[in-house]
Amino acid sequence: MSGTTPGPMPSPPPSPSPERTRLAATLRELKDRTGLSLAGLAEQTTYSKSSWDRYLNGKALPPRQAVQELCALAREPESRCLALWEIAESEWTWRPTDAPSPATPPPPSPPPVEDTRTGNRRTAIKAALVSACAATAGIVALAVLLLPGPNDDEPQPPPSPSSPAAPLPGARCQGAACEGQDPWNMNCGSPPDTLLEHRTATGAWVSVRYDKACGASWARTWHTSVGDRVEVTADGATYRAEIKDDIDAKNYVYTAMTATRPGTTVRVCFEPATNGERECVDGRVP
């Protein structure tokens, strides 16, 4: 008796990464703190009920803005959550695909956790709500025509035109006023541009970060060892950061900022604690 040969069983969806699982667990803690249901979150934020269900269960990586809005509702400083989000986002961005790309070098892997005990972290709470006010009926009609199609992953309009919208806080310094300041405390990493990334001979990574609104750059390092040092310099002073203990070695460590303008060459140097040569690389502000 003839019969049809069953086709291959579909592959199960990939399980969430440890980074995304940890972020989702943290977001669920914040959601419980607010006392809001999924429907309540949808009413108080610019994301839908179904989107929050995916974010809180680790089925999808939330946008950075969604994390910020939930932190604001829970009255939680953003630094820890944004650190977890950055790690999860890095893992998501560099996840493997089916298409081979032998010419592309492997990207740097992020550290397992971000240090939140030092001053190199953002402490301001942002409320990222979208204003729905329109001056005239003509503007409203035009806005409706320009709205994208429905997509749960995109911000949804507020539930009522009367709902107030809090402005997104901007940079707290600019240019020379940022010299020697902490990039996170000055709100200069939301997010910044990466001018370069370099893997050193010891396996540590360094990068040069730049924020256009602040007009300043700084260095970041990770996968380091205790005693390693990183420094950044441009037209002004040189700023250094040292890996002081095992906690630093497992996290991102940042230098203070140096004021930079378009066209400025920014140099980052890495000096290993063990026997090794000092390495320096240059980036250029666009």
Side-chain angles (χ1 to χ4, degrees), residues 22-249:
R22 183 167 51 194
L23 174 62
T26 301
L27 297 182
R28 288 196 299 272
E29 292 177 3
L30 296 182
K31 181 256 187 189
D32 293 341
R33 189 187 305 175
T34 66
L36 295 172
S37 63
L38 291 178
L41 282 180
E43 291 178 359
Q44 296 293 325
T45 68
T46 52
Y47 296 86
S48 68
K49 176 181 176 181
S50 58
S51 291
W52 279 117
D53 179 68
R54 292 198 299 272
Y55 303 156
L56 297 175
N57 287 288
K59 298 177 181 177
L61 180 70
R64 183 187 181 95
Q65 180 178 324
V67 176
Q68 291 173 313
E69 292 187 22
L70 183 55
C71 286
L73 287 174
R75 300 185 181 276
E76 170 76 11
E78 295 179 355
S79 57
R80 175 171 173 254
C81 292
L82 290 183
L84 292 174
W85 179 87
E86 183 174 343
I87 296 170
E89 192 272 341
S90 298
E91 179 274 334
W92 179 262
T93 301
W94 297 111
R95 66 192 186 280
T97 61
D98 294 333
S101 52
T104 303
S109 56
V113 290
E114 181 110 8
D115 183 7
T116 57
R117 53 172 200 151
T118 67
N120 293 331
R121 303 295 175 264
R122 192 182 307 276
T123 57
I125 298 178
K126 295 181 181 178
L129 303 177
V130 180
S131 175
C133 298
T136 64
I139 295 178
V140 173
L142 178 60
V144 172
L145 291 175
L146 295 178
L147 283 175
N151 187 336
D152 284 337
D153 289 331
E154 296 296 328
Q156 304 298 317
S160 167
S162 62
S163 299
L168 201 66
R172 297 180 179 177
C173 65
Q174 210 284 325
C178 293
E179 193 73 34
Q181 298 287 348
D182 183 292
W184 299 109
N185 290 342
M186 292 295 103
N187 211 28
C188 294
S190 182
D193 295 323
T194 299
L195 302 185
L196 69 86
E197 284 187 341
H198 171 71
R199 184 177 183 181
T200 68
T202 64
W205 285 86
V206 294
S207 67
V208 172
R209 310 280 268 177
Y210 167 72
D211 187 277
K212 183 177 181 181
C214 290
S217 301
W218 61 96
R220 179 176 74 166
T221 187
W222 64 101
H223 286 326
T224 51
S225 300
V226 176
D228 290 350
R229 289 185 292 180
V230 63
E231 64 182 44
V232 65
T233 185
D235 294 332
T238 297
Y239 298 100
R240 299 176 178 86
E242 183 176 349
I243 313 305
K244 298 178 180 179
D245 51 35
D246 290 338
I247 296 177
D248 282 350

